[in-house]
Amino acid sequence: GSLIGLGRPPYIWRATNWSDTSTYEVEAVDNTVMGEDPFLYVDPNNNDSSILHGLSHAGGWDSRGGHSWSLDGGKTWKSHEDIASYGSLIEFTDGTTGVLTRRERPHLIFDKKGNLQALTNGATLDPCTHPDYCDKDYCFTALQKLNQE
């Protein structure tokens, strides 16, 4: 199969064969997914598989996530910069909540039919936002079920 990958903006990687590095090409483009750590996916329940989605965290010390999409195979991207795809509040299985001051490296979990089930992130809890304010450098993997109503 082929490959499309995004790095820190503005780079996009493409390959006609993901397992053959001689087919890899790197291109600088004007506009890609905003933020860091993009996760790319095609919505398996959408009949138009040409729509490429990108989920990323806002970058820096911001714990919100962003969603972008491309209708042309990743050459150009659009996003709603005023709408966060996820925020800093997380609810744990015991009913308590926490404020995540870092929520990076988003990944979506799909079931066998392609339905979205959960979001995972590398995360830290308040008050650890920056090494200057936290004496321990730590993070954990947060898994949050998605509302499927």
Side-chain angles (χ1 to χ4, degrees), residues 5-6 10-14 25-30 32 74-75:
L6 295 176
Y11 298 102
I12 187 165
W13 283 260
R14 297 179 195 281
E25 296 178 358
V26 179
E27 177 185 3
V29 294
D30 291 334
T32 64
K75 293 182 179 123

Side-chain angles (χ1 to χ4, degrees), residues 76-148:
T76 60
W77 293 85
K78 296 182 180 188
S79 63
H80 291 291
E81 294 182 24
D82 58 335
I83 300 173
S85 56
Y86 57 84
S88 61
L89 186 66
I90 190 167
E91 184 176 342
F92 298 106
T93 55
D94 66 0
T96 62
T97 59
V99 175
L100 301 176
T101 53
R102 299 292 300 252
R103 194 168 190 179
E104 304 175 351
R105 298 177 300 284
H107 288 82
L108 294 172
I109 309 287
F110 298 88
D111 68 13
K112 290 179 182 179
K113 294 180 180 178
N115 298 310
L116 286 170
Q117 297 298 303
L119 166 69
T120 65
N121 297 90
T124 60
L125 285 167
D126 192 30
C128 285
T129 55
H130 190 277
D132 292 343
Y133 307 109
C134 185
D135 60 353
K136 298 174 187 166
D137 183 17
Y138 79 97
C139 75
F140 61 92
T141 300
L143 182 140
Q144 185 173 17
K145 288 184 178 181
L146 300 175
N147 185 355
Q148 298 296 312

